Amino acid sequence: MNKSRFTDNNFWILRHGEADHVLKGAIASGTETKANASHLTEKGEKEVGQAAEKLVKQLGKKKLDIIFSSPYERAKETAKIMAKKTGAKIIIDKRLAELNAGEFNGRLVSDFHNAFPDVLKRFSDAPEGGENLTDVKKRVMNFIMEAGAKYDGKNILICGHGDPLWMLEGAAAGLSNEEIIKLKYIEVGEIKKIKFNNYPFNYLTGNLDLHKPYIDSIYLKCEKCGSKMARTKEVADVWFDSGCMPFAQYHFPFAAKAKKSDELKIKTVQEKIEFPADYISEGMDQTRGWFYTLLAISTALGLGPAYLNVIAQGLTLDKNGVKMSKSKGNAVDPWQMIEKYGTDALRWYFYTVNQPGDYKKFDEADLGKAYRRFIAIIYNSFIFLKTYGAPAKEPSRETRLSLIDEWILAKLNNLTGEVTKSLEKYDIVAAAKATEEFVDGLSRWYIRRSRRRFQKPESRSDLEIASAVLRHCLMELSKLTAPFTPFFSESLYKSLGGLKLSVHLEDWPETKKGFLGAELAEKMDETRRISSLALALRAEKGIKVRQPLQKLAIKTGKLNAKDEAFLDLIKDEVNVKEVVFDGKLAGDIELDTVITPELKEEGIIRELVRLTQELRQKANYEPKDRIKAMLELPEELRTVIQKNEKLFAKEIGAEEIELKKSEKFGAEIQTKIQDKYIWIGIIKN
């Protein structure tokens, strides 16, 4: 890159030496008078002298030409010491002044930092009557751009203060705000050489800016003749330029070495570039813009269509269907939504809210729902596996799977085929909706119905099988969702121990033969439907799910008495002792709601187990932790616990049960069961 408006100078920065205000930990900025001026201490003068010796050594036989100084006394005193040592002339520039701390001027530095703890926000937030870091960066960059253009081949020293020199060092190197705050803050009396790159800087903001007109200050050197090359400012038409994109990027037809024959031209361009494009995706407003010019120019060249498929996106409106506008106050800041929900949640919302070409009535409440019904569910499923699952292991064809394992793997297999087929047709919404439905089933049915296998497994083997199945589902999900939610999918893949460098380097999942298909899915769907009806009826009757009931009668042609595994799922889900078939039922189900003393007793135990397990979570105990449980109960409930003490202890992971209140506990609760006050406390044993 050749020289442009900035000439070949060397720049050093020097923060003033120790001064009076530094010893006090105070801020010395704003208007300076003789009464409030801060002067160098004896130590500060020595620090500047040492900095001068260091600079002279770096310069060698060369000389320091100019010293620019802040107008504050401590900076001018620093500049005078440097001038005496080097012979350079001093120029005072008010743009190098300390950051104006406004209402904090004269107060402690710690007060300012407590009021503005987030350094990054200091670029936008300013104290009353003061500046922010962007204001400082703008003025110091204006200074150095002016100095860089005015002088040529000079050695220049800049004497100033902490924040302005911090901004100058970072911005002059073309760093972003996030990168600047990672720079080592310049110390009192420290001198350092800085880079002032020959970049296009925006004189309005002090930031690196590669756009017009700032980019026009940059010239390239011609490799053939050594002359200066500048950007061509003239264009025929911006839309014509964009329509030429597929060919112009390869300098067609000049670099194609084609003869006059149109056939040879066509053959050459199609061999050289990937043409036509498989698809093009842009907003509906591009119908008469880019979509049209690409097609028109390609057709004019005799090359046919420039693209084979179009995904046109509808415009985004506010939640009431009104075009967003700052003046109307209905505009939504996308960065706020991204910061709050994440980029992938925003993507998923637009994939599933409606068809791509439809108008999008954006509502933050709907965005939150999209996040919770998909990304949050997958994340919680991963956390469940991490908390309760066995070490990594893939399910094999020889693995003895339970019915619900076979079902979820069959659903996953079907999902893979459905997503692949939909994406090949560019039907993004169908693919996303199918994935969302699978995730719902994985969480609300597979994990819920397998919870006991993870938390209180009957055997190590069953825990390993359930863990392997869930891990496999999540791993395949990370691949299937990678085109939709690239960052979340990458994180999930890595967290599951993916072997490739990235999920985006994995092969696309393929459907597999050998899983049970339509019949299994149909019977499981019926199982879920019957369970849902029964749970709704329990809720209508006001009977909690933890209270066991004796019988559920069903009328269905899709399940029969031989489907024991499906009926067991219904029993467990609805919490009934038996499921019977009755073809004479008026409706689909009939629930026996008579609660016998035995059923009531079992319900009490389940309720006490639930309360105790919640206390374990409240105390942050892990599943492996053994506890001591203390209960203060009325006589009726004491009798129930005494009869079922071993079962209760096993369910809550307790080594000891005491039926009395204690003053020592890790967590406690006082509540009611069947209108009777109880107290439960637990402590790690």
Side-chain angles (χ1 to χ4, degrees):
M1 195 170 282
N2 203 5
K3 292 192 299 182
S4 62
R5 58 181 175 183
F6 303 142
T7 44
D8 193 15
N9 299 297
N10 295 308
F11 289 93
W12 284 264
I13 57 174
L14 169 62
R15 186 179 174 188
H16 61 77
E18 182 187 80
D20 300 332
H21 74 289
V22 175
L23 295 177
K24 300 174 183 177
I27 297 173
S29 64
T31 303
E32 186 178 62
T33 64
K34 288 185 177 181
N36 68 11
S38 179
H39 299 276
L40 294 182
T41 63
E42 185 177 342
K43 178 183 176 182
E45 292 175 351
K46 290 181 180 179
E47 289 172 340
V48 177
Q50 292 169 354
E53 292 173 4
K54 181 178 179 180
L55 178 58
V56 169
K57 187 175 181 180
Q58 288 183 14
L59 288 168
K61 295 181 180 180
K62 297 178 182 178
K63 68 172 184 175
L64 182 67
D65 298 295
I66 307 167
I67 300 173
F68 285 98
S69 174
S70 155
Y72 285 84
E73 287 300 319
R74 55 191 183 275
K76 291 193 290 185
E77 291 167 0
T78 298
K80 288 176 183 177
I81 295 173
M82 297 300 293
K84 187 175 181 180
K85 293 278 188 179
T86 61
K89 66 176 181 179
I90 299 174
I91 300 175
I92 306 298
D93 196 305
K94 64 181 181 180
R95 289 173 291 185
L96 299 175
E98 175 64 289
L99 177 146
N100 185 355
E103 61 181 323
F104 289 92
N105 289 336
R107 293 169 57 181
L108 294 177
V109 175
S110 58
D111 291 344
F112 180 81
H113 287 165
N114 289 335
F116 298 91
D118 188 332
V119 180
L120 194 58
K121 287 188 176 180
R122 286 175 55 195
F123 283 90
S124 56
D125 299 348
E128 186 70 29
E131 298 178 295
N132 58 36
L133 290 179
T134 298
D135 298 326
V136 175
K137 181 170 66 171
K138 177 181 174 181
R139 59 177 165 86
V140 296
M141 283 303 294
N142 270 280
F143 155 76
I144 200 170
M145 285 191 285
E146 181 183 296
K150 183 176 181 179
Y151 300 100
D152 186 14
K154 301 296 183 183
N155 294 314
I156 300 172
L157 175 66
I158 303 166
C159 295
H161 312 271
D163 282 349
L165 295 180
W166 188 32
M167 293 299 102
L168 180 60
E169 180 184 4
L175 302 183
S176 66
N177 293 344
E178 290 80 5
E179 292 169 324
I180 290 175
I181 65 176
K182 293 178 182 178
L183 287 176
K184 181 180 177 296
Y185 196 83
I186 188 167
E187 302 288 343
V188 169
E190 181 181 359
I191 188 170
K192 61 166 72 172
K193 191 173 184 179
I194 64 169
K195 292 181 180 179
F196 184 34
N197 292 317
N198 190 22
Y199 292 157
F201 291 99
N202 184 331
Y203 55 83
L204 296 175
T205 65
N207 293 328
L208 175 68
D209 195 330
L210 300 178
H211 297 91
K212 292 170 56 180
Y214 316 106
I215 190 65
D216 290 333
S217 67
I218 300 300
Y219 302 92
L220 302 179
K221 184 177 181 180
C222 178
E223 294 181 357
K224 292 183 179 179
C225 67
S227 297
K228 188 167 63 175
M229 297 193 301
R231 183 185 71 83
T232 301
K233 298 180 181 181
E234 299 79 13
V235 293
D237 175 79
V238 291
W239 287 115
F240 179 82
D241 278 6
S242 68
C244 292
M245 177 274 297
F247 329 110
Q249 63 181 324
Y250 293 101
H251 205 203
F252 174 82
F254 308 105
K257 298 180 180 178
K259 297 180 180 180
K260 292 183 179 180
S261 167
D262 288 341
E263 290 184 3
L264 287 176
K265 287 183 180 181
I266 295 170
K267 183 179 179 182
T268 303
V269 74
Q270 289 176 335
E271 285 179 350
K272 190 171 183 62
I273 67 176
E274 294 182 356
F275 183 89
D278 289 327
Y279 75 96
I280 186 171
S281 178
E282 257 293 354
M284 290 289 288
D285 53 329
Q286 293 296 339
T287 301
R288 292 185 296 174
W290 197 30
F291 292 168
Y292 169 73
T293 53
L294 280 168
L295 184 61
I297 294 169
S298 178
T299 303
L301 289 171
L303 300 176
Y307 43 83
L308 302 179
N309 296 278
V310 177
I311 302 176
Q313 302 159 14
L315 300 179
T316 303
L317 311 174
D318 73 5
K319 63 182 179 181
N320 298 313
V322 179
K323 185 178 179 180
M324 291 188 187
S325 168
K326 287 184 178 179
S327 62
K328 293 179 181 177
N330 65 341
V332 177
D333 185 345
W335 292 111
Q336 289 182 1
M337 297 298 100
I338 288 171
E339 185 175 345
K340 189 172 181 180
Y341 299 97
T343 53
D344 284 343
L346 198 58
R347 284 190 182 93
W348 193 257
Y349 166 78
F350 282 114
Y351 289 139
T352 56
V353 65
N354 56 18
Q355 291 297 325
D358 294 341
Y359 285 108
K360 308 290 187 287
K361 294 181 181 180
F362 180 81
D363 188 344
E364 184 181 350
D366 291 336
L367 173 59
K369 291 175 184 176
Y371 168 80
R372 289 189 293 274
R373 72 171 177 258
F374 186 69
I375 291 179
I377 289 179
I378 298 177
Y379 175 75
N380 290 335
S381 300
F382 166 74
I383 292 299
F384 180 83
L385 174 65
K386 184 179 178 182
T387 304
Y388 299 106
K393 185 180 179 182
E394 282 290 304
S396 67
R397 292 181 181 272
E398 291 73 33
T399 302
R400 298 189 64 180
L401 302 172
S402 69
L403 176 69
I404 201 163
D405 292 332
E406 291 179 346
W407 170 76
I408 196 64
L409 291 175
K411 292 284 283 185
L412 176 64
N413 197 48
N414 292 338
L415 174 70
T416 301
E418 191 172 349
V419 170
T420 302
K421 185 178 179 181
S422 296
L423 289 182
E424 285 175 348
K425 295 190 302 181
Y426 299 93
D427 191 347
I428 294 91
V429 175
K433 289 286 190 181
T435 308
E436 201 166 71
E437 181 184 348
F438 173 82
V439 168
D440 181 78
L442 178 70
S443 171
R444 297 179 186 274
W445 192 246
Y446 180 77
I447 292 180
R448 272 206 321 112
R449 295 275 38 93
S450 302
R451 188 174 295 275
R452 193 173 186 85
R453 299 169 67 196
F454 284 92
Q455 296 176 337
K456 293 184 176 63
E458 293 181 359
S459 66
R460 178 70 183 180
S461 173
D462 192 42
L463 171 62
E464 290 176 349
I465 291 171
S467 301
V469 170
L470 179 54
R471 181 176 285 104
H472 176 74
C473 289
L474 292 174
M475 181 63 80
E476 294 304 289
L477 262 179
S478 74
K479 301 171 189 176
L480 291 172
T481 58
F484 300 90
T485 55
F487 299 113
F488 178 71
S489 300
E490 178 78 348
S491 178
L492 180 63
Y493 176 80
K494 289 290 189 181
S495 299
L496 289 167
L499 300 178
K500 296 285 182 73
L501 181 63
S502 167
V503 69
H504 304 290
L505 298 178
E506 277 280 2
D507 292 334
W508 183 254
E510 296 181 356
T511 54
K512 298 179 178 64
K513 296 180 180 180
F515 287 107
L516 296 178
E519 184 180 358
L520 172 62
E522 185 179 29
K523 289 191 175 185
M524 190 62 79
D525 287 344
E526 181 67 0
T527 299
R528 297 183 69 183
R529 187 183 76 86
I530 294 296
S531 299
S532 179
L533 290 174
L535 291 173
L537 185 55
R538 288 189 71 124
E540 181 184 323
K541 300 291 185 180
I543 304 172
K544 293 182 179 179
V545 180
R546 291 182 185 83
Q547 173 58 60
L549 296 176
Q550 185 59 40
K551 184 171 61 176
L552 172 68
I554 63 176
K555 180 177 71 174
T556 176
K558 296 180 181 179
L559 295 175
N560 56 61
K562 294 180 180 180
D563 295 318
E564 293 182 7
F566 292 100
L567 300 182
D568 287 341
L569 286 173
I570 295 175
K571 290 177 190 177
D572 197 33
E573 178 74 0
V574 183
N575 194 11
V576 293
K577 298 296 183 181
E578 56 182 325
V579 176
V580 298
F581 291 88
D582 186 349
K584 298 179 181 180
L585 291 179
D588 288 328
I589 65 168
E590 186 176 275
L591 191 63
D592 183 355
T593 58
V594 176
I595 301 174
T596 64
E598 292 78 16
L599 291 174
K600 181 179 179 181
E601 187 174 290
E602 189 176 337
I604 290 171
I605 292 295
R606 289 200 178 200
E607 187 67 14
L608 290 172
V609 168
R610 178 188 69 83
L611 292 170
T612 309
Q613 295 290 33
E614 289 178 356
L615 287 180
R616 288 183 67 103
Q617 292 181 356
K618 185 178 179 181
N620 294 320
Y621 292 163
E622 296 182 5
K624 64 181 180 180
D625 293 333
R626 311 303 292 173
I627 65 169
K628 175 182 178 181
M630 296 81 70
L631 299 92
E632 188 177 65
L633 307 168
E635 186 60 33
E636 180 184 346
L637 301 185
R638 284 172 62 91
T639 303
V640 172
I641 284 291
Q642 288 168 342
K643 286 174 60 179
N644 299 275
E645 185 172 334
K646 287 185 179 180
L647 173 64
F648 180 62
K650 180 182 177 182
E651 291 293 317
I652 65 173
E655 292 183 347
E656 188 177 353
I657 305 291
E658 276 192 5
L659 296 179
K660 63 179 182 179
K661 193 169 185 178
S662 172
E663 298 299 323
K664 293 183 179 180
F665 47 78
E668 67 164 343
I669 186 172
Q670 185 168 327
T671 185
K672 278 185 176 183
I673 290 183
Q674 298 184 353
D675 296 325
K676 296 178 177 63
Y677 282 102
I678 68 164
W679 176 90
I680 306 175
I682 64 170
I683 191 168
K684 195 183 295 187
N685 220 0

